[in-house]
Amino acid sequence: MSEVNLTKRKEKCENCTKQCNKKNSDDGAGSLQEKDEIGGQVNEGSQLLLSACLSCDGCLSDDENVKISQQSLEEVKHVLALNKKCDASKYKVLVASICPQSLPFFAVKFGMEVTEAAHKLCSFLKGLGVHYVFDTNLASGFSILECQKEFIQRYRRKHHDSHALPMFTSSCPGWIRYSERVLGSLVTPHICTARSPQQIMGCLVKDFFCKQQQKLSPDKIYHMLVAPCFDKKLEAVREDFYNSLLEARDVDCVLTSGEIFGLMEQRRVSVDELDSVPLDHVLGDSGDAVLMRHEGRVSEGFLEHVFKYAAKELFGLDVHEITYKNHRNRDFQEVTLERDGETLLQFAAVYGFRNIQTLVHRMRKGRVPYQLVEVLSCPGGCISGRGQAETMAGQLDKNLIQQMEEVYSSLPVHLPEVTPALHTLYHDWLQGQDSPQANMLLHTQYKSQIQSQTQPPHMQW
């Protein structure tokens, strides 16, 4: 990286208008923790959102900047334009996958219930030239099932593996980036290796759908994903998810809900005039794809699913209802399983940068009592992602978030364990739940990148 570019990045970070302690101290992570948590209290002056910081591009390498620039509406328009030229050598089948946390945004914006909003969105996307539109619930189901299985394995080896517990969830790319680039080996061995729903969806589209359903090479599919947060763009360009032989990514482009809605406004689309077009099935089934959600507050529900599964698998206890206890605030909550006065399991949901800092501080001191922690960088969880919940002034729209939470909660809950399509895919696509194919396509590895040349020295927190 050139000295000029490094200087520009340093200036950008130092002149950031957000309250960010890293730009005021060169003392490393330890001093930051001391500033942020004094006597058990988080410094209220630190208002930086982790997702906002990591997406500002101040800590991106030149190569990452080029890749991120391709995660744009302009790139999608370019692919659509090439398709219209009828050049067979450059023609691509366009697939759009929509995250379940994005659908409530469109429901609120369209002023209709979530299923009808999804059908209108599907109609708009297909009107642009998209061939197939899926939701990512199947991918979420895979991620949850693999997370459950890995937690049981880690729990059973906890006495001879110091890195087994606590296990941190891996679905949030902002949290993963922070872990790899800032926290390093303190945290990375504890991160669940199950791929996020986004990247499992990428495998479903580029490996199963294109090969078995379309009989195409992965490079002939252009896979676009609609997500609630900008950090999903960073996840899509990770080298782990790039096929160098075919020069194809599992997810070619991530657009936020806000970017899609902005395009609709730009084109002055009347939602009422759009047809109602059902979403497609990855398995090619006919009929309307029923929209579901997984258990949990407003994210993928990893904590609740793993908690109930572990209670049954490890202790033979059926848990029907989970009671959250606010530890510090609404974004730092605990769940406990007890029997005869003995604590058997203790999980936590930790959302937002300030709460993550508290968690890390305790991790450094060896005072984390939890076996599993669901970590998300956005306060309020995925539905509050800044790609859909931010006002024009750059503030979170609390009224919009509340409406989206209500819409999301209205979706019926579906358990991945009893989803026939998942069992079919495990058998037909992955050759079994514990096969080498399943391990390769549903898991990845996270490692410390603190010494990476792509991280400018002034970015050490």
Side-chain angles (χ1 to χ4, degrees):
M1 184 183 298
S2 71
E3 185 175 346
V4 173
N5 286 340
L6 184 60
T7 301
K8 286 182 178 178
R9 297 238 172 83
K10 186 174 189 295
E11 289 174 353
K12 181 166 187 175
C13 181
E14 290 176 344
N15 294 326
C16 180
T17 58
K18 301 179 179 68
Q19 296 299 314
C20 175
N21 284 334
K22 74 175 186 225
K23 65 188 179 185
N24 297 321
S25 171
D26 293 321
D27 297 331
S31 63
L32 176 65
Q33 297 295 343
E34 292 169 6
K35 293 176 184 178
D36 266 9
E37 185 177 16
I38 301 174
Q41 299 296 317
V42 174
N43 178 3
E44 295 294 333
S46 179
Q47 296 297 320
L48 175 68
L49 290 172
L50 177 59
S51 54
C53 171
L54 293 179
S55 295
C56 83
D57 84 13
C59 60
L60 297 181
S61 67
D62 291 336
D63 184 48
E64 284 176 319
N65 267 319
V66 171
K67 292 173 182 176
I68 291 295
S69 69
Q70 296 169 353
Q71 304 280 308
S72 65
L73 278 169
E74 286 67 31
E75 188 69 16
V76 174
K77 291 175 182 177
H78 176 66
V79 174
L80 291 168
L82 287 177
N83 275 2
K84 289 180 179 179
K85 291 182 179 180
C86 300
D87 184 345
S89 65
K90 296 181 180 179
Y91 190 89
K92 293 182 182 289
V93 173
L94 267 77
V95 174
S97 299
I98 307 172
C99 294
Q101 292 78 23
S102 289
L103 291 174
F105 170 81
F106 292 102
V108 174
K109 291 295 185 180
F110 295 170
M112 56 186 61
E113 60 90 24
V114 66
T115 299
E116 183 60 20
H119 291 177
K120 295 286 188 177
L121 176 61
C122 182
S123 175
F124 171 70
L125 293 173
K126 289 193 172 184
L128 292 177
V130 174
H131 300 93
Y132 298 93
V133 180
F134 305 125
D135 73 61
T136 64
N137 265 319
L138 274 181
S140 299
F142 271 123
S143 192
I144 289 169
L145 292 177
E146 293 300 310
C147 187
Q148 288 177 170
K149 183 171 63 177
E150 181 170 334
F151 176 79
I152 298 300
Q153 294 170 349
R154 284 174 175 262
Y155 186 90
R156 287 174 172 161
R157 69 172 190 263
K158 64 179 180 177
H159 295 299
H160 59 269
D161 181 357
S162 61
H163 292 140
L165 298 177
M167 185 176 90
F168 299 121
T169 57
S170 56
S171 63
C172 175
W175 158 243
I176 293 299
R177 186 176 177 83
Y178 178 50
S179 298
E180 290 186 324
R181 298 203 171 196
V182 180
L183 304 176
S185 58
L186 172 72
V187 165
T188 51
H190 295 269
I191 297 176
C192 177
T193 65
R195 292 194 187 198
S196 72
Q198 169 176 308
Q199 294 310 135
I200 290 180
M201 193 68 203
C203 290
L204 264 174
V205 170
K206 289 294 185 86
D207 192 83
F208 172 77
F209 180 74
C210 77
K211 294 178 181 177
Q212 296 192 29
Q213 300 292 98
Q214 298 293 304
K215 310 301 182 185
L216 293 171
S217 172
D219 60 319
K220 293 299 182 181
I221 297 270
Y222 187 84
H223 184 204
M224 175 181 78
L225 188 128
V226 181
C229 97
F230 291 101
D231 286 339
K232 294 293 186 181
K233 296 174 185 279
L234 291 168
E235 181 179 26
V237 302
R238 285 178 66 96
E239 289 305 311
D240 320 40
F241 310 133
Y242 178 71
N243 187 321
S244 57
L245 184 63
L246 295 172
E247 296 185 348
R249 296 194 175 279
D250 295 336
V251 177
D252 295 289
C253 181
V254 174
L255 296 178
T256 66
S257 317
E259 286 176 306
I260 294 293
F261 187 70
L263 178 62
M264 296 180 76
E265 290 186 314
Q266 181 185 0
R267 297 195 173 202
R268 298 180 180 178
V269 172
S270 171
V271 175
D272 293 334
E273 294 177 4
L274 290 172
D275 293 330
S276 184
V277 179
L279 274 66
D280 300 295
H281 295 263
V282 173
L283 287 169
D285 300 335
S286 59
D288 192 359
V290 179
L291 295 177
M292 301 283 187
R293 69 177 176 91
H294 294 111
E295 291 184 297
R297 291 161 58 192
V298 285
S299 300
E300 300 294 351
F302 284 91
L303 183 150
E304 293 205 14
H305 283 280
V306 177
F307 188 83
K308 291 181 178 181
Y309 181 79
K312 182 66 174 179
E313 186 75 12
L314 297 172
F315 306 105
L317 298 177
D318 290 310
V319 177
H320 302 290
E321 295 292 333
I322 288 182
T323 302
Y324 285 91
K325 175 185 175 183
N326 283 0
H327 179 66
R328 303 181 62 85
N329 49 62
R330 184 175 179 264
D331 282 334
F332 197 137
Q333 296 186 316
E334 296 178 348
V335 177
T336 303
L337 178 69
E338 296 181 341
R339 182 173 59 189
D340 300 329
E342 178 188 3
T343 298
L344 302 177
L345 292 175
Q346 192 172 8
F347 288 10
V350 177
Y351 302 166
F353 182 59
R354 290 189 301 157
N355 289 324
I356 289 175
Q357 289 292 77
T358 299
L359 174 69
V360 172
H361 184 46
R362 292 179 179 178
M363 188 80 177
R364 293 185 188 282
K365 292 190 173 185
R367 296 203 313 242
V368 177
Y370 314 115
Q371 292 85 32
L372 179 137
V373 185
E374 181 181 83
V375 189
L376 300 172
S377 66
C378 291
C382 295
I383 213 161
S384 303
R386 299 182 78 85
Q388 66 181 22
E390 197 172 68
T391 66
M392 295 297 291
Q395 302 297 317
L396 289 178
D397 188 332
K398 294 182 179 179
N399 182 54
L400 173 60
I401 292 172
Q402 182 179 351
Q403 292 181 74
M404 289 193 294
E405 289 177 351
E406 292 172 357
V407 170
Y408 187 76
S409 298
S410 71
L411 286 169
V413 172
H414 196 62
L415 300 178
E417 293 92 335
V418 296
T419 303
L422 287 175
H423 294 288
T424 299
L425 286 165
Y426 266 121
H427 182 269
D428 296 347
W429 174 40
L430 300 170
Q431 290 82 56
Q433 292 196 17
D434 299 308
S435 68
Q437 179 85 342
N439 187 61
M440 178 179 69
L441 295 177
L442 303 183
H443 291 263
T444 187
Q445 294 293 325
Y446 301 103
K447 53 189 178 295
S448 172
Q449 297 180 13
I450 287 181
Q451 301 302 322
S452 172
Q453 294 299 314
T454 62
Q455 183 180 5
H458 72 282
M459 297 301 293
Q460 299 291 337
W461 289 27

